[in-house]
PDB file of all heavy atoms in Angstrom:
ATOM      1  N   SER L 622     -16.945  19.500 -33.365  1.00  0.00           N
ATOM      2  CA  SER L 622     -15.533  19.524 -33.736  1.00  0.00           C
ATOM      3  C   SER L 622     -15.460  19.990 -35.185  1.00  0.00           C
ATOM      4  O   SER L 622     -16.493  20.231 -35.825  1.00  0.00           O
ATOM      5  CB  SER L 622     -14.892  18.139 -33.573  1.00  0.00           C
ATOM      6  OG  SER L 622     -15.430  17.218 -34.509  1.00  0.00           O
ATOM      7  N   ILE L 623     -14.243  20.120 -35.689  1.00  0.00           N
ATOM      8  CA  ILE L 623     -14.045  20.527 -37.087  1.00  0.00           C
ATOM      9  C   ILE L 623     -13.311  19.401 -37.800  1.00  0.00           C
ATOM     10  O   ILE L 623     -12.293  18.904 -37.316  1.00  0.00           O
ATOM     11  CB  ILE L 623     -13.233  21.834 -37.193  1.00  0.00           C
ATOM     12  CG1 ILE L 623     -13.921  22.954 -36.401  1.00  0.00           C
ATOM     13  CG2 ILE L 623     -13.060  22.236 -38.658  1.00  0.00           C
ATOM     14  CD1 ILE L 623     -15.294  23.327 -36.892  1.00  0.00           C
ATOM     15  N   ARG L 624     -13.836  19.009 -38.961  1.00  0.00           N
ATOM     16  CA  ARG L 624     -13.195  17.975 -39.773  1.00  0.00           C
ATOM     17  C   ARG L 624     -13.207  18.415 -41.237  1.00  0.00           C
ATOM     18  O   ARG L 624     -14.270  18.725 -41.771  1.00  0.00           O
ATOM     19  CB  ARG L 624     -13.918  16.640 -39.618  1.00  0.00           C
ATOM     20  CG  ARG L 624     -13.269  15.474 -40.385  1.00  0.00           C
ATOM     21  CD  ARG L 624     -14.166  14.250 -40.362  1.00  0.00           C
ATOM     22  NE  ARG L 624     -14.512  13.866 -39.001  1.00  0.00           N
ATOM     23  CZ  ARG L 624     -15.667  13.313 -38.667  1.00  0.00           C
ATOM     24  NH1 ARG L 624     -16.599  13.127 -39.583  1.00  0.00           N
ATOM     25  NH2 ARG L 624     -15.905  12.986 -37.411  1.00  0.00           N
ATOM     26  N   ASP L 625     -12.055  18.454 -41.830  1.00  0.00           N
ATOM     27  CA  ASP L 625     -11.928  18.838 -43.245  1.00  0.00           C
ATOM     28  C   ASP L 625     -12.607  20.173 -43.536  1.00  0.00           C
ATOM     29  O   ASP L 625     -13.244  20.354 -44.580  1.00  0.00           O
ATOM     30  CB  ASP L 625     -12.521  17.746 -44.148  1.00  0.00           C
ATOM     31  CG  ASP L 625     -11.813  16.407 -43.999  1.00  0.00           C
ATOM     32  OD1 ASP L 625     -10.588  16.421 -43.734  1.00  0.00           O
ATOM     33  OD2 ASP L 625     -12.470  15.362 -44.132  1.00  0.00           O
ATOM     34  N   GLY L 626     -12.481  21.092 -42.594  1.00  0.00           N
ATOM     35  CA  GLY L 626     -13.002  22.435 -42.797  1.00  0.00           C
ATOM     36  C   GLY L 626     -14.478  22.602 -42.552  1.00  0.00           C
ATOM     37  O   GLY L 626     -15.011  23.705 -42.700  1.00  0.00           O
ATOM     38  N   GLU L 627     -15.191  21.531 -42.190  1.00  0.00           N
ATOM     39  CA  GLU L 627     -16.629  21.608 -41.939  1.00  0.00           C
ATOM     40  C   GLU L 627     -16.941  21.294 -40.483  1.00  0.00           C
ATOM     41  O   GLU L 627     -16.201  20.567 -39.806  1.00  0.00           O
ATOM     42  CB  GLU L 627     -17.405  20.634 -42.846  1.00  0.00           C
ATOM     43  CG  GLU L 627     -17.485  21.079 -44.296  1.00  0.00           C
ATOM     44  CD  GLU L 627     -18.542  20.304 -45.076  1.00  0.00           C
ATOM     45  OE1 GLU L 627     -18.978  19.232 -44.593  1.00  0.00           O
ATOM     46  OE2 GLU L 627     -18.944  20.770 -46.158  1.00  0.00           O
ATOM     47  N   VAL L 628     -18.072  21.811 -40.028  1.00  0.00           N
ATOM     48  CA  VAL L 628     -18.531  21.562 -38.666  1.00  0.00           C
ATOM     49  C   VAL L 628     -19.053  20.135 -38.564  1.00  0.00           C
ATOM     50  O   VAL L 628     -19.831  19.679 -39.405  1.00  0.00           O
ATOM     51  CB  VAL L 628     -19.657  22.539 -38.278  1.00  0.00           C
ATOM     52  CG1 VAL L 628     -20.140  22.265 -36.865  1.00  0.00           C
ATOM     53  CG2 VAL L 628     -19.200  23.976 -38.432  1.00  0.00           C
ATOM     54  N   VAL L 629     -18.628  19.431 -37.537  1.00  0.00           N
ATOM     55  CA  VAL L 629     -19.169  18.119 -37.206  1.00  0.00           C
ATOM     56  C   VAL L 629     -19.866  18.248 -35.851  1.00  0.00           C
ATOM     57  O   VAL L 629     -19.241  18.653 -34.867  1.00  0.00           O
ATOM     58  CB  VAL L 629     -18.074  17.047 -37.132  1.00  0.00           C
ATOM     59  CG1 VAL L 629     -18.676  15.700 -36.733  1.00  0.00           C
ATOM     60  CG2 VAL L 629     -17.346  16.932 -38.465  1.00  0.00           C
ATOM     61  N   VAL L 630     -21.140  17.928 -35.815  1.00  0.00           N
ATOM     62  CA  VAL L 630     -21.905  17.990 -34.571  1.00  0.00           C
ATOM     63  C   VAL L 630     -22.044  16.567 -34.036  1.00  0.00           C
ATOM     64  O   VAL L 630     -22.607  15.699 -34.698  1.00  0.00           O
ATOM     65  CB  VAL L 630     -23.286  18.630 -34.790  1.00  0.00           C
ATOM     66  CG1 VAL L 630     -24.038  18.744 -33.468  1.00  0.00           C
ATOM     67  CG2 VAL L 630     -23.138  20.006 -35.434  1.00  0.00           C
TER      68      VAL L 630
END
Side-chain angles (χ1 to χ4, degrees):
S622 67
I623 303 298
R624 183 189 305 147
D625 299 328
E627 287 195 343
V628 179
V629 178
V630 183

